[in-house]
């Protein structure tokens, strides 16, 4: 199946590395596999936090197992900090992630950033706060957006 086979240290890198190497669809399958070891198995068991271990956890709040949230933000929706934080950020959703539409909002010290991605229509909408820039990275496109509301097609 689409279960991962890595330890606690490696699991935090698994989904991002798959996306960075053109395997976003596989990353999503690993994330959504409904049986253990897998994050969805915890949801199916009505857990609302990230467990310490896949089976018989002793405690129930361990961030290193929570890296799917980061992957969803940075690869499914595509919003990442730039080299200087949020003054110039990156919007680069992984085109291979099989999520038709996704949107997210991020509050920063510079203001609110909003990203909406529609992979079916190949449209990205971004709201860039004043005093910041968004580097848009899409297939065949690398451009810089100034403050304001933008619609980008790819």
């Amino acid at each position: 199946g689409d279960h991962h086979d890595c330890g606690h240290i490696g699991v935090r890198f698994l989904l991002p590395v798959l996306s960075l190497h053109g395997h976003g669809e596989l990353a999503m399958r690993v994330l959504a596999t409904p049986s253990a070891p897998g994050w969805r198995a915890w949801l199916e068991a009505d857990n609302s936090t990230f467990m310490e271990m896949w089976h018989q956890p002793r405690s129930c709040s361990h961030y290193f197992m929570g890296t799917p949230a980061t992957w969803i933000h940075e690869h499914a929706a595509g919003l990442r900090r730039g080299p200087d934080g949020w003054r110039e950020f990156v919007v680069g959703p992984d085109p291979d992630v099989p999520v038709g539409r996704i949107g997210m909002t991020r509050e920063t010290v510079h203001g609110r950033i909003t990203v909406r991605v529609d992979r079916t229509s190949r449209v990205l909408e971004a709201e860039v706060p004043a005093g910041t820039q968004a580097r848009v990275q899409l297939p065949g496109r690398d451009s810089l957006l100034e403050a304001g509301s933008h619609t980008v097609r790819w």
Side-chain angles (χ1 to χ4, degrees):
D2 295 314
H3 293 98
H4 66 76
D5 186 18
C6 56
H8 288 131
I9 304 290
V11 76
R12 69 179 285 206
F13 301 108
L14 178 64
L15 301 178
V17 167
L18 286 171
S19 276
L20 290 172
H21 291 278
H23 300 286
E25 184 177 354
L26 176 59
M28 185 65 186
R29 287 197 323 260
V30 170
L31 175 63
T33 297
S35 56
W39 292 278
R40 185 168 165 206
W42 287 334
L43 292 175
E44 300 285 332
D46 292 327
N47 293 306
S48 61
T49 62
F50 295 105
M51 305 295 148
E52 177 187 22
M53 297 178 279
W54 299 111
H55 302 286
Q56 301 175 338
R58 293 175 296 212
S59 65
C60 303
S61 187
H62 287 268
Y63 175 74
F64 68 88
M65 297 294 251
T67 55
T70 302
W71 178 80
I72 290 168
H73 290 194
E74 294 183 354
H75 297 276
L79 181 59
R80 299 184 290 283
R81 284 186 308 253
D84 285 336
W86 294 104
R87 189 168 306 281
E88 183 182 313
F89 54 92
V90 176
V91 182
D94 180 341
D96 297 323
V97 173
V99 174
R101 290 184 295 177
I102 188 169
M104 70 170 291
T105 300
R106 172 77 187 219
E107 295 291 339
T108 74
V109 296
H110 306 289
R112 176 179 291 168
I113 300 169
T114 301
V115 174
R116 288 179 290 283
V117 179
D118 185 334
R119 284 179 179 81
T120 304
S121 300
R122 298 174 62 92
V123 173
L124 178 139
E125 296 175 349
E127 294 177 27
V128 181
T132 69
Q133 296 177 316
R135 173 146 317 272
V136 174
Q137 297 174 331
L138 292 165
R141 182 183 187 116
D142 189 336
S143 59
L144 203 57
L145 303 178
E146 299 295 329
S149 296
H150 304 272
T151 300
V152 179
R153 300 184 191 289
W154 83 91

